[in-house]
Coordinates of all heavy atoms in Angstrom, one line a residue:
M1 N -30.6 19.6 -45.5 CA -29.3 19.6 -45.2 C -29.0 20.3 -43.9 O -28.2 19.9 -43.1 CB -28.5 20.2 -46.4 CG -27.0 20.1 -46.1 SD -26.5 18.5 -46.5 CE -24.7 18.7 -46.5
D2 N -29.7 21.5 -43.7 CA -29.5 22.2 -42.5 C -30.0 21.4 -41.3 O -29.4 21.5 -40.2 CB -30.2 23.6 -42.5 CG -29.5 24.6 -43.5 OD1 -28.3 24.4 -43.6 OD2 -30.2 25.5 -43.9
L3 N -31.1 20.7 -41.5 CA -31.7 19.9 -40.4 C -30.7 18.7 -39.9 O -30.5 18.5 -38.8 CB -33.0 19.3 -40.8 CG -33.8 18.4 -39.8 CD1 -34.1 19.3 -38.7 CD2 -35.0 17.9 -40.5
L4 N -30.1 18.1 -41.0 CA -29.1 17.0 -40.7 C -27.9 17.6 -39.9 O -27.5 17.1 -39.0 CB -28.6 16.4 -42.0 CG -27.7 15.2 -41.8 CD1 -28.3 14.1 -41.0 CD2 -27.3 14.8 -43.2
L5 N -27.5 18.8 -40.3 CA -26.3 19.4 -39.6 C -26.7 19.8 -38.2 O -25.9 19.6 -37.3 CB -25.9 20.7 -40.4 CG -24.6 21.4 -39.9 CD1 -23.5 20.4 -40.0 CD2 -24.4 22.6 -40.8
S6 N -27.8 20.3 -38.0 CA -28.3 20.7 -36.7 C -28.4 19.5 -35.7 O -28.0 19.6 -34.6 CB -29.6 21.4 -36.8 OG -29.6 22.6 -37.5
I7 N -29.0 18.4 -36.3 CA -29.1 17.3 -35.5 C -27.8 16.6 -35.2 O -27.5 16.3 -34.0 CB -30.0 16.1 -36.3 CG1 -31.4 16.6 -36.3 CG2 -29.9 14.8 -35.5 CD1 -32.3 15.7 -37.2
S8 N -26.8 16.7 -36.1 CA -25.5 16.2 -35.8 C -24.8 17.0 -34.8 O -24.1 16.4 -33.9 CB -24.6 16.3 -37.2 OG -25.2 15.4 -38.2
V9 N -25.0 18.3 -34.8 CA -24.3 19.2 -33.8 C -24.9 18.9 -32.5 O -24.2 18.8 -31.4 CB -24.5 20.7 -34.2 CG1 -24.1 21.6 -33.1 CG2 -23.6 21.0 -35.5
A10 N -26.3 18.8 -32.4 CA -26.9 18.5 -31.2 C -26.5 17.1 -30.6 O -26.2 17.0 -29.4 CB -28.5 18.5 -31.3
V11 N -26.3 16.1 -31.4 CA -25.8 14.8 -30.9 C -24.5 14.9 -30.4 O -24.1 14.3 -29.4 CB -26.0 13.7 -32.0 CG1 -25.3 12.5 -31.7 CG2 -27.4 13.5 -32.4
I12 N -23.6 15.6 -31.1 CA -22.2 15.8 -30.7 C -22.2 16.5 -29.4 O -21.4 16.1 -28.5 CB -21.4 16.5 -31.8 CG1 -21.2 15.6 -33.0 CG2 -20.0 17.0 -31.2 CD1 -20.6 16.2 -34.2
A13 N -23.0 17.6 -29.2 CA -23.0 18.3 -28.0 C -23.5 17.5 -26.7 O -22.9 17.5 -25.7 CB -24.0 19.6 -28.1
V14 N -24.5 16.7 -27.0 CA -25.0 15.8 -25.9 C -24.0 14.7 -25.6 O -23.7 14.5 -24.4 CB -26.4 15.2 -26.3 CG1 -26.8 14.0 -25.4 CG2 -27.5 16.2 -26.4
S15 N -23.4 14.2 -26.6 CA -22.3 13.1 -26.3 C -21.2 13.8 -25.6 O -20.6 13.2 -24.7 CB -21.8 12.7 -27.7 OG -22.8 12.0 -28.4
F16 N -20.8 15.0 -25.8 CA -19.7 15.7 -25.2 C -20.1 15.8 -23.7 O -19.2 15.7 -22.8 CB -19.4 17.0 -25.9 CG -18.1 17.7 -25.3 CD1 -16.9 17.1 -25.5 CD2 -18.3 18.8 -24.6 CE1 -15.8 17.7 -25.0 CE2 -17.2 19.5 -24.1 CZ -15.9 19.0 -24.3
V17 N -21.3 16.2 -23.4 CA -21.7 16.5 -22.1 C -21.8 15.2 -21.3 O -21.3 15.1 -20.2 CB -23.2 17.2 -22.1 CG1 -23.8 17.1 -20.7 CG2 -23.0 18.5 -22.6
I18 N -22.2 14.1 -22.0 CA -22.1 12.8 -21.3 C -20.7 12.3 -21.0 O -20.4 11.8 -20.0 CB -22.9 11.7 -22.2 CG1 -24.4 12.1 -22.2 CG2 -22.7 10.3 -21.7 CD1 -25.2 11.3 -23.2
L19 N -19.8 12.6 -22.0 CA -18.4 12.2 -21.8 C -17.8 13.0 -20.6 O -17.1 12.5 -19.8 CB -17.7 12.5 -23.1 CG -16.1 12.2 -23.0 CD1 -15.9 10.8 -22.9 CD2 -15.5 12.8 -24.3
L20 N -18.1 14.3 -20.6 CA -17.6 15.1 -19.4 C -18.2 14.6 -18.1 O -17.4 14.6 -17.1 CB -18.0 16.6 -19.6 CG -17.1 17.3 -20.7 CD1 -17.6 18.8 -20.8 CD2 -15.6 17.3 -20.3
Y21 N -19.4 14.2 -18.0 CA -20.0 13.8 -16.8 C -19.3 12.4 -16.4 O -19.1 12.2 -15.3 CB -21.5 13.5 -17.0 CG -22.2 13.0 -15.7 CD1 -22.3 13.8 -14.6 CD2 -22.7 11.7 -15.7 CE1 -23.0 13.3 -13.5 CE2 -23.3 11.1 -14.5 CZ -23.4 12.0 -13.5 OH -24.0 11.5 -12.3
A22 N -19.1 11.5 -17.4 CA -18.5 10.3 -17.0 C -17.0 10.5 -16.6 O -16.6 9.8 -15.7 CB -18.5 9.4 -18.4
L23 N -16.4 11.4 -17.2 CA -15.0 11.8 -16.7 C -15.0 12.4 -15.3 O -14.2 12.0 -14.5 CB -14.4 12.8 -17.7 CG -13.0 13.2 -17.4 CD1 -12.0 12.0 -17.6 CD2 -12.5 14.3 -18.4
Y24 N -16.0 13.1 -15.0 CA -16.1 13.8 -13.7 C -16.3 12.6 -12.6 O -15.7 12.6 -11.6 CB -17.3 14.8 -13.7 CG -17.6 15.2 -12.3 CD1 -16.9 16.1 -11.6 CD2 -18.7 14.7 -11.6 CE1 -17.2 16.5 -10.3 CE2 -19.1 15.1 -10.4 CZ -18.3 16.0 -9.7 OH -18.7 16.4 -8.5
R25 N -17.2 11.7 -13.0 CA -17.5 10.6 -12.0 C -16.3 9.7 -11.9 O -15.9 9.3 -10.7 CB -18.6 9.8 -12.5 CG -20.0 10.4 -12.6 CD -20.9 10.3 -11.5 NE -20.9 8.9 -11.1 CZ -21.7 8.4 -10.2 NH1 -22.6 9.2 -9.7 NH2 -21.7 7.1 -9.9
T26 N -15.5 9.4 -12.9 CA -14.4 8.6 -12.9 C -13.3 9.3 -12.0 O -12.6 8.6 -11.2 CB -13.8 8.3 -14.3 OG1 -14.9 7.7 -15.0 CG2 -12.6 7.5 -14.3
L27 N -13.1 10.6 -12.2 CA -12.1 11.3 -11.4 C -12.5 11.4 -9.9 O -11.6 11.3 -9.0 CB -11.9 12.7 -12.0 CG -11.2 12.7 -13.3 CD1 -11.1 14.2 -13.8 CD2 -9.8 12.2 -13.2
K28 N -13.7 11.5 -9.7 CA -14.3 11.5 -8.3 C -14.0 10.1 -7.6 O -13.5 10.1 -6.5 CB -15.8 11.7 -8.3 CG -16.3 12.1 -7.0 CD -17.8 12.6 -7.2 CE -18.4 12.9 -5.8 NZ -19.8 13.3 -6.0
L29 N -14.2 9.0 -8.4 CA -13.9 7.7 -7.9 C -12.4 7.5 -7.6 O -12.0 6.9 -6.6 CB -14.4 6.6 -8.8 CG -15.9 6.4 -8.8 CD1 -16.4 5.4 -9.9 CD2 -16.4 5.9 -7.5
V30 N -11.5 8.0 -8.5 CA -10.1 7.9 -8.4 C -9.6 8.6 -7.2 O -8.8 8.2 -6.4 CB -9.5 8.3 -9.7 CG1 -7.9 8.5 -9.5 CG2 -9.7 7.3 -10.8
R31 N -10.2 9.8 -7.0 CA -9.8 10.6 -5.8 C -10.1 9.9 -4.5 O -9.4 9.8 -3.6 CB -10.5 11.9 -5.9 CG -10.2 12.9 -4.8 CD -10.9 14.2 -4.9 NE -10.6 15.0 -3.8 CZ -11.1 16.2 -3.4 NH1 -12.2 16.6 -4.2 NH2 -10.8 16.9 -2.5
A32 N -11.3 9.3 -4.5 CA -11.8 8.6 -3.2 C -10.8 7.3 -3.1 O -10.5 7.1 -1.9 CB -13.2 8.1 -3.4
A33 N -10.5 6.6 -4.1 CA -9.6 5.5 -4.0 C -8.2 5.9 -3.6 O -7.6 5.2 -2.7 CB -9.5 4.7 -5.3
L34 N -7.7 7.0 -4.1 CA -6.3 7.5 -3.7 C -6.4 7.9 -2.2 O -5.4 7.7 -1.5 CB -5.9 8.6 -4.6 CG -5.5 8.3 -6.0 CD1 -5.2 9.5 -6.8 CD2 -4.3 7.4 -6.0
E35 N -7.5 8.5 -1.7 CA -7.6 9.0 -0.4 C -7.6 7.7 0.6 O -6.9 7.7 1.6 CB -8.8 9.8 -0.1 CG -9.0 10.3 1.3 CD -8.0 11.3 1.7 OE1 -7.4 11.9 0.8 OE2 -7.7 11.4 3.0
D36 N -8.4 6.7 0.1 CA -8.4 5.5 0.9 C -7.0 4.8 0.9 O -6.5 4.3 2.0 CB -9.4 4.5 0.3 CG -9.6 3.3 1.1 OD1 -9.7 3.4 2.3 OD2 -9.7 2.2 0.6
M37 N -6.3 4.9 -0.2 CA -5.0 4.2 -0.2 C -4.0 5.0 0.6 O -3.2 4.4 1.3 CB -4.4 4.2 -1.7 CG -3.2 3.5 -1.9 SD -2.6 3.6 -3.6 CE -4.0 3.1 -4.5
R38 N -4.1 6.4 0.7 CA -3.3 7.2 1.5 C -3.5 6.9 3.0 O -2.5 6.7 3.8 CB -3.6 8.7 1.3 CG -2.6 9.6 2.0 CD -3.0 11.0 1.9 NE -4.2 11.3 2.5 CZ -4.4 11.6 3.8 NH1 -3.3 11.5 4.6 NH2 -5.6 11.9 4.4
L39 N -4.8 6.7 3.4 CA -5.0 6.4 4.8 C -4.5 5.0 5.1 O -4.0 4.8 6.2 CB -6.5 6.4 5.0 CG -7.2 7.8 5.0 CD1 -8.7 7.7 5.1 CD2 -6.6 8.7 6.1
S40 N -4.7 4.0 4.1 CA -4.1 2.6 4.4 C -2.7 2.7 4.6 O -2.1 2.0 5.4 CB -4.5 1.7 3.2 OG -5.9 1.6 3.2
I41 N -2.0 3.4 3.7 CA -0.5 3.5 3.8 C -0.1 4.2 5.1 O 0.9 3.8 5.8 CB 0.1 4.2 2.6 CG1 -0.1 3.3 1.4 CG2 1.5 4.6 2.8 CD1 0.3 4.0 0.1
S42 N -0.8 5.2 5.5 CA -0.6 5.8 6.8 C -0.7 4.9 8.0 O 0.2 4.8 8.9 CB -1.5 7.0 7.0 OG -1.3 7.6 8.2
R43 N -1.8 4.1 8.0 CA -2.0 3.0 9.0 C -0.9 2.0 9.0 O -0.4 1.5 10.0 CB -3.3 2.4 8.9 CG -4.4 3.3 9.5 CD -5.7 2.5 9.4 NE -6.6 3.2 8.4 CZ -7.2 2.6 7.5 NH1 -7.3 1.3 7.4 NH2 -7.9 3.3 6.6
L44 N -0.5 1.6 7.7 CA 0.6 0.6 7.6 C 1.9 1.2 8.2 O 2.7 0.4 8.8 CB 0.7 0.3 6.1 CG 1.8 -0.8 5.8 CD1 1.4 -2.1 6.4 CD2 1.9 -0.9 4.3
G45 N 2.2 2.4 7.9 CA 3.4 3.0 8.5 C 3.4 3.0 10.0 O 4.4 2.8 10.5
T46 N 2.3 3.3 10.6 CA 2.1 3.3 12.0 C 2.4 1.9 12.5 O 3.1 1.7 13.5 CB 0.8 3.7 12.4 OG1 0.5 5.0 11.9 CG2 0.6 3.8 13.9
Q47 N 1.8 0.9 11.9 CA 2.1 -0.5 12.3 C 3.5 -0.9 12.2 O 4.1 -1.6 13.0 CB 1.1 -1.5 11.5 CG -0.3 -1.3 11.8 CD -0.7 -1.6 13.3 OE1 -0.1 -2.5 13.9 NE2 -1.5 -0.8 13.8
V48 N 4.2 -0.5 11.1 CA 5.5 -0.9 10.9 C 6.4 -0.3 12.0 O 7.4 -0.9 12.5 CB 6.1 -0.5 9.5 CG1 7.5 -0.5 9.3 CG2 5.4 -1.4 8.4
A49 N 6.1 1.0 12.3 CA 6.9 1.7 13.4 C 6.7 1.0 14.7 O 7.6 0.8 15.4 CB 6.4 3.1 13.5
L50 N 5.5 0.5 15.0 CA 5.3 -0.3 16.2 C 6.0 -1.5 16.2 O 6.6 -1.9 17.3 CB 3.7 -0.5 16.5 CG 2.9 0.7 16.7 CD1 1.4 0.3 16.8 CD2 3.3 1.3 18.1
I51 N 5.9 -2.2 15.1 CA 6.6 -3.6 15.0 C 8.1 -3.4 15.2 O 8.9 -4.1 15.9 CB 6.3 -4.3 13.7 CG1 4.9 -4.7 13.8 CG2 7.2 -5.5 13.5 CD1 4.3 -5.3 12.4
S52 N 8.7 -2.3 14.5 CA 10.2 -2.1 14.6 C 10.6 -1.7 16.1 O 11.6 -2.1 16.5 CB 10.6 -1.1 13.6 OG 10.0 0.2 13.9
T53 N 9.7 -1.0 16.7 CA 9.9 -0.6 18.1 C 10.0 -1.8 19.0 O 10.9 -2.0 19.8 CB 8.9 0.4 18.6 OG1 8.9 1.6 17.8 CG2 9.2 0.9 20.1
E54 N 8.9 -2.7 18.8 CA 8.9 -3.9 19.6 C 10.1 -4.8 19.2 O 10.8 -5.5 20.2 CB 7.7 -4.7 19.3 CG 6.5 -4.0 19.8 CD 5.2 -4.8 19.5 OE1 5.3 -5.9 18.9 OE2 4.1 -4.3 19.8
A55 N 10.5 -4.8 18.0 CA 11.8 -5.7 17.7 C 13.0 -5.1 18.3 O 13.9 -5.9 18.8 CB 11.9 -5.7 16.1
R56 N 13.2 -3.8 18.3 CA 14.4 -3.2 19.0 C 14.3 -3.5 20.5 O 15.3 -3.8 21.1 CB 14.3 -1.7 18.8 CG 14.9 -1.3 17.5 CD 15.2 0.2 17.4 NE 14.8 0.6 16.1 CZ 13.7 1.4 15.7 NH1 12.9 1.9 16.7 NH2 13.4 1.7 14.5
A57 N 13.1 -3.5 21.1 CA 12.9 -3.8 22.5 C 13.4 -5.2 22.8 O 13.9 -5.6 23.8 CB 11.5 -3.5 23.0
E58 N 13.1 -6.1 21.9 CA 13.4 -7.6 22.1 C 14.8 -8.0 21.5 O 15.1 -9.1 21.6 CB 12.3 -8.5 21.4 CG 10.9 -8.3 22.1 CD 9.9 -9.2 21.4 OE1 10.2 -10.0 20.5 OE2 8.7 -9.1 21.9
E59 N 15.4 -7.0 20.9 CA 16.7 -7.3 20.4 C 17.7 -7.8 21.4 O 18.5 -8.8 21.1 CB 17.3 -6.0 19.7 CG 18.5 -6.3 18.9 CD 18.9 -4.9 18.1 OE1 18.2 -4.5 17.3 OE2 19.9 -4.4 18.5
G60 N 17.6 -7.3 22.6 CA 18.5 -7.7 23.7 C 18.2 -9.2 23.9 O 19.2 -10.0 24.2
I61 N 17.0 -9.6 24.1 CA 16.6 -10.9 24.4 C 17.1 -11.9 23.2 O 17.6 -12.9 23.5 CB 15.0 -11.0 24.6 CG1 14.7 -10.2 25.8 CG2 14.7 -12.5 24.8 CD1 13.2 -10.1 26.0
V62 N 16.7 -11.5 22.0 CA 17.1 -12.3 20.9 C 18.7 -12.5 20.8 O 19.2 -13.5 20.6 CB 16.6 -11.7 19.5 CG1 17.1 -12.4 18.3 CG2 15.1 -11.7 19.6
G63 N 19.3 -11.4 21.0 CA 20.8 -11.5 21.0 C 21.3 -12.4 22.1 O 22.3 -13.1 21.8
A64 N 20.7 -12.3 23.3 CA 21.2 -13.2 24.4 C 20.9 -14.6 24.0 O 21.8 -15.5 24.3 CB 20.4 -12.8 25.7
V65 N 19.8 -15.0 23.4 CA 19.4 -16.2 23.0 C 20.5 -16.8 22.0 O 20.9 -17.9 22.0 CB 18.0 -16.4 22.5 CG1 17.8 -17.8 21.9 CG2 17.0 -16.2 23.7
C66 N 20.7 -15.9 21.0 CA 21.7 -16.3 20.0 C 23.1 -16.5 20.5 O 23.8 -17.5 20.2 CB 21.7 -15.2 18.9 SG 20.3 -15.1 17.9
D67 N 23.5 -15.7 21.4 CA 24.8 -15.9 22.1 C 24.8 -17.2 22.9 O 25.8 -17.9 22.9 CB 25.1 -14.7 23.1 CG 25.5 -13.4 22.3 OD1 25.8 -13.6 21.1 OD2 25.4 -12.4 22.9
G68 N 23.7 -17.5 23.5 CA 23.6 -18.8 24.3 C 23.7 -20.0 23.3 O 24.5 -21.0 23.7
I69 N 23.1 -19.9 22.2 CA 23.1 -21.0 21.2 C 24.6 -21.1 20.7 O 25.1 -22.3 20.6 CB 22.1 -20.8 20.2 CG1 20.7 -20.9 20.6 CG2 22.4 -21.7 18.9 CD1 19.6 -20.5 19.7
A70 N 25.2 -20.0 20.4 CA 26.5 -20.0 19.9 C 27.5 -20.6 20.9 O 28.4 -21.4 20.5 CB 27.0 -18.6 19.5
S71 N 27.3 -20.3 22.1 CA 28.2 -20.8 23.1 C 28.0 -22.3 23.3 O 28.9 -23.1 23.5 CB 27.8 -20.1 24.5 OG 28.2 -18.7 24.5
T72 N 26.7 -22.7 23.3 CA 26.4 -24.2 23.4 C 27.1 -24.9 22.2 O 27.7 -26.0 22.4 CB 24.9 -24.4 23.3 OG1 24.4 -23.6 24.4 CG2 24.6 -25.8 23.6
V73 N 27.0 -24.4 21.0 CA 27.6 -25.1 19.8 C 29.1 -25.1 20.0 O 29.8 -26.1 19.7 CB 27.2 -24.3 18.6 CG1 28.1 -24.8 17.4 CG2 25.8 -24.5 18.3
R74 N 29.8 -24.1 20.5 CA 31.2 -24.1 20.8 C 31.6 -25.1 21.8 O 32.5 -25.8 21.7 CB 31.7 -22.7 21.2 CG 32.1 -21.8 20.0 CD 32.7 -20.5 20.5 NE 31.5 -19.6 20.5 CZ 31.1 -18.7 21.5 NH1 32.0 -18.5 22.4 NH2 30.1 -18.1 21.5
I75 N 30.8 -25.2 22.9 CA 31.1 -26.2 23.9 C 30.9 -27.6 23.5 O 31.8 -28.4 23.7 CB 30.2 -25.9 25.2 CG1 30.6 -24.6 25.8 CG2 30.2 -27.1 26.1 CD1 29.5 -24.1 26.9
W76 N 29.9 -27.9 22.7 CA 29.7 -29.1 22.1 C 30.8 -29.5 21.1 O 31.3 -30.6 21.0 CB 28.4 -29.3 21.4 CG 27.3 -29.6 22.3 CD1 26.3 -28.8 22.8 CD2 27.0 -30.8 23.0 NE1 25.4 -29.4 23.6 CE2 25.9 -30.7 23.8 CE3 27.6 -32.1 22.9 CZ2 25.4 -31.7 24.6 CZ3 27.1 -33.1 23.8 CH2 26.0 -32.9 24.6
T77 N 31.3 -28.6 20.4 CA 32.4 -28.8 19.4 C 33.7 -29.2 20.2 O 34.4 -30.1 19.8 CB 32.6 -27.6 18.5 OG1 31.4 -27.2 17.9 CG2 33.6 -27.8 17.4
K78 N 34.0 -28.4 21.2 CA 35.2 -28.7 22.0 C 35.0 -30.1 22.8 O 36.0 -30.8 22.8 CB 35.3 -27.7 23.1 CG 35.9 -26.3 22.4 CD 36.1 -25.3 23.6 CE 36.5 -24.0 22.9 NZ 36.7 -22.9 23.9
I79 N 33.9 -30.4 23.2 CA 33.6 -31.7 23.9 C 33.8 -32.8 22.9 O 34.4 -33.9 23.2 CB 32.3 -31.7 24.5 CG1 32.2 -30.9 25.8 CG2 31.9 -33.2 24.9 CD1 30.8 -30.7 26.4
K80 N 33.3 -32.7 21.7 CA 33.5 -33.7 20.6 C 35.0 -34.0 20.3 O 35.4 -35.1 20.0 CB 32.8 -33.3 19.4 CG 31.2 -33.6 19.5 CD 30.5 -33.3 18.2 CE 29.1 -33.4 18.3 NZ 28.3 -33.1 17.1
K81 N 35.8 -32.9 20.4 CA 37.2 -33.0 20.0 C 38.0 -33.8 21.1 O 39.0 -34.4 20.8 CB 37.8 -31.6 19.9 CG 37.4 -30.9 18.6 CD 38.1 -29.6 18.5 CE 37.7 -28.9 17.2 NZ 38.3 -27.6 17.1
I82 N 37.5 -33.7 22.4 CA 38.2 -34.4 23.4 C 37.8 -35.8 23.4 O 37.8 -36.7 23.0 CB 37.6 -33.9 24.8 CG1 38.0 -32.4 24.9 CG2 38.2 -34.7 26.0 CD1 37.5 -31.8 26.2

C-alpha cells in the first residue's frame, strides 16, 4: 500500500511539473503574440495618421471639385427650366 501511495504521489508531482511547464510555454507564446499585436497596432496608428493628414491636405481640392459639380448641376437645372 505504501508503494502504491508513493507511486501515485510521484506521478502527481511529475504531472504537476509538466503542467507548469506547459503553462509557462503558453504564457510565453501569448506574451510574444501580444507584443506583436501591439507593434502592429502601433504601425496601423501611424498609417492612419498619415492617411488622415493626406486627406486633410486634399480636402481643399475635393471641396473645390464638389463645389464645381454642385454649380454645374445648378446651372443645368436652370437651363432645363428655360
Side-chain angles (χ1 to χ4, degrees):
M1 185 75 168
D2 286 337
L3 181 63
L4 182 61
L5 185 61
S6 297
I7 292 173
S8 297
V9 169
V11 168
I12 290 171
V14 169
S15 299
F16 187 70
V17 168
I18 291 171
L19 177 67
L20 285 178
Y21 179 71
L23 182 63
Y24 170 76
R25 298 263 315 189
T26 302
L27 290 175
K28 198 172 173 183
L29 287 172
V30 167
R31 182 179 180 193
L34 287 174
E35 181 66 24
D36 185 44
M37 190 182 309
R38 186 185 67 79
L39 291 174
S40 297
I41 289 173
S42 175
R43 279 186 252 133
L44 182 64
T46 303
Q47 292 299 319
V48 167
L50 288 174
I51 289 171
S52 64
T53 301
E54 290 177 7
R56 278 190 221 112
E58 293 181 5
E59 189 174 294
I61 296 170
V62 172
V65 170
C66 288
D67 288 342
I69 292 171
S71 296
T72 304
V73 169
R74 267 184 271 139
I75 291 169
W76 276 106
T77 305
K78 287 180 180 180
I79 290 174
K80 284 183 182 179
K81 287 181 181 178
I82 297 177

